[in-house]
Amino acid sequence: TFHVTDRLGLTAGVRQTWDKRRELNFRPDLLNVDSKASFDKLTWQVIADYKVTPDVMVYGKVGTGYLAGGIYNAVKFNPETLTSYEIGFKGDFFDRTLRLNVAAFLADYKDLQLSYYQNGRLVYENAGKARIKGLEAEATLVPARGLTMNASLGILDFDFKRFVTLQTG
């Protein structure tokens, strides 16, 4: 984190991931199959936070994510990736009697991984693109010593932008 001013902070990070997968199938209905796959991905995140007052902070962040691909029953599937955006605020009010945290977010997925059962067998595959939008809010109220009340709210809107599946039955 780099503190640009007493109120403004910028945080950045990167992660490099390497994944190797191997599956050996020794089943009577398949020839002995030795499947291998390798995946690598550089992901990053950038956050800006600003203290409006000593008790109220607003922030925004953008980042990428990655879930390794794999092999299941000799069928390879791609890694799942996402780009996410979030804005929010955190604040303490009334001499720290009330704490409010609110965040709105959007995440775009590519090669979304699905798993389901088909004809009694578990199948993994990439289903396409999806978007999740949402809002989260948390409140903590301490009206008297020894009494704490919590409330939270989560709203999600999930939408496939492109849905492709191999499922036939």
Side-chain angles (χ1 to χ4, degrees):
T1 300
F2 175 69
H3 298 283
V4 179
T5 68
D6 289 345
R7 293 182 170 194
L8 177 63
L10 299 175
T11 304
V14 295
R15 171 184 281 172
Q16 176 65 51
T17 306
W18 296 273
D19 290 296
K20 292 184 180 183
R21 301 285 191 252
R22 183 176 183 192
E23 180 187 69
L24 298 171
N25 277 313
F26 299 104
R27 292 180 25 192
D29 59 331
L30 292 173
L31 296 175
N32 292 339
V33 177
D34 185 358
S35 303
K36 296 178 183 178
S38 296
F39 309 98
D40 67 275
K41 185 71 175 175
L42 178 72
T43 56
W44 54 268
Q45 183 167 275
V46 177
I47 305 168
D49 62 82
Y50 183 76
K51 292 184 180 176
V52 179
T53 69
D55 294 327
V56 176
M57 186 261 296
V58 295
Y59 69 92
K61 67 180 178 177
V62 179
T64 59
Y66 160 82
L67 179 61
I71 309 164
Y72 192 76
N73 286 328
V75 177
K76 295 179 185 177
F77 54 94
N78 292 328
E80 176 181 292
T81 59
L82 77 91
T83 303
S84 66
Y85 310 88
E86 182 176 331
I87 58 171
F89 80 87
K90 299 174 183 273
D92 290 319
F93 304 95
F94 310 115
D95 198 27
R96 297 186 184 251
T97 302
L98 175 65
R99 171 171 284 167
L100 292 174
N101 298 327
V102 178
F105 58 89
L106 180 141
D108 285 320
Y109 287 83
K110 181 181 173 196
D111 284 326
L112 183 68
Q113 294 176 7
L114 289 184
S115 62
Y116 56 89
Y117 283 94
Q118 181 180 32
N119 301 325
R121 292 177 66 186
L122 184 61
V123 176
Y124 286 93
E125 67 176 331
N126 298 104
K129 294 182 179 183
R131 173 173 281 174
I132 298 176
K133 297 182 280 189
L135 176 73
E136 293 179 343
E138 300 172 342
T140 302
L141 180 65
V142 184
R145 183 178 206 122
L147 177 61
T148 302
M149 295 185 286
N150 296 301
S152 61
L153 171 70
I155 300 170
L156 288 177
D157 178 29
F158 180 92
D159 184 33
F160 277 105
K161 295 298 179 186
R162 187 181 80 230
F163 184 78
V164 179
T165 180
L166 301 174
Q167 186 172 4
T168 58

